[in-house]
Amino acid sequence: MSEAKIITLEDQPVARAPQGGWLSAQSMRILLYVASITLDVMAVAASFYISELIIGWRWMPVSDSVVLAIVIPLFVMFSISREVQAVETLQDYWLGFQRAASALIGAFIVSVMLLFLTDYADKFSRLLFLTYALVSLAMLALSKLALNWAVKVWMGGRVVATLLLVDGQTVETGEGVTRIDVGSMGIWP
């Protein structure tokens, strides 16, 4: 009777961290998820100040922190529910941008509704709010491009490992596919 061989995924290639150290692929994905949400929040916050520079006046009688305190938590909530930080969005730039943009648009719609429910509806500039939304979308696209670049540099463009189990047959494998022949190992019935 032959001994059973155990195949683990622990020996899969690891990703190179920017500091020069080595991280597992799972740790690198977690780092990229954190970078994704951080870049997105920074893009939304910076776009508010950029839109104020473009238009040239304040649009609320209160400080900027009130507007950002409404938009950013809503954006984070919607981006988590839309799964902006997922494996699929790390692999596909357009899917990541689409999910992040829909979360941002949802946050802006809810923000407008909240502003119209308060006394600030007559006091803020709708032109500046529209400029803020458009600049936010542009900054969000740039943050997703930066994340896509990081995925290509640090993970080689592959976020997950692809395994192909064969039972002694000759099969063509694509680039980046790990082929395991269980028939030649004697573990296939």
Side-chain angles (χ1 to χ4, degrees):
M1 189 181 238
S2 66
E3 279 186 39
K5 296 180 183 178
I6 299 174
I7 300 172
T8 64
L9 297 178
E10 298 297 324
D11 298 327
Q12 292 299 314
V14 294
R16 181 101 177 156
Q19 307 91 336
W22 290 90
L23 293 176
S24 67
Q26 179 182 7
S27 298
M28 183 56 74
R29 280 193 303 270
I30 291 170
L31 180 70
L32 288 170
Y33 296 148
V34 171
S36 173
I37 192 72
T38 303
L39 284 172
D40 291 350
V41 168
M42 288 172 48
V44 172
S47 63
F48 178 77
Y49 296 107
I50 292 171
S51 62
E52 277 189 344
L53 289 173
I54 292 171
I55 298 299
W57 69 81
R58 300 253 178 226
W59 63 300
M60 293 281 287
V62 294
S63 69
D64 303 337
S65 60
V66 172
V67 176
L68 294 177
I70 293 172
V71 172
I72 289 179
L74 288 171
F75 173 67
V76 170
M77 179 185 69
F78 287 139
S79 64
I80 290 172
S81 69
R82 290 280 299 142
E83 295 181 353
V84 175
Q85 289 74 37
V87 172
E88 298 89 15
T89 59
L90 287 178
Q91 288 177 327
D92 187 8
Y93 165 78
W94 290 110
L95 180 63
F97 177 71
Q98 177 187 10
R99 287 183 182 180
S102 66
L104 184 66
I105 291 169
F108 277 125
I109 289 172
V110 172
S111 297
V112 167
M113 289 191 287
L114 287 174
L115 288 172
F116 277 103
L117 288 175
T118 62
D119 294 334
Y120 301 117
D122 298 332
K123 301 175 186 174
F124 75 92
S125 169
R126 286 150 184 88
L127 179 62
L128 185 57
F129 195 81
L130 178 64
T131 305
Y132 178 36
L134 294 176
V135 171
S136 293
L137 284 173
M139 294 290 286
L140 203 59
L142 291 176
S143 76
K144 291 300 172 191
L145 278 174
L147 184 71
N148 191 37
W149 174 82
V151 167
K152 286 182 180 177
V153 168
W154 293 333
M155 298 195 80
R158 289 188 10 189
V159 180
V160 293
T162 304
L163 297 176
L164 178 64
L165 298 175
V166 295
D167 61 346
Q169 303 294 323
T170 56
V171 177
E172 300 270 337
T173 59
E175 183 180 337
V177 176
T178 302
R179 182 178 181 272
I180 299 174
D181 190 357
V182 293
S184 67
M185 296 172 130
I187 57 175
W188 193 261

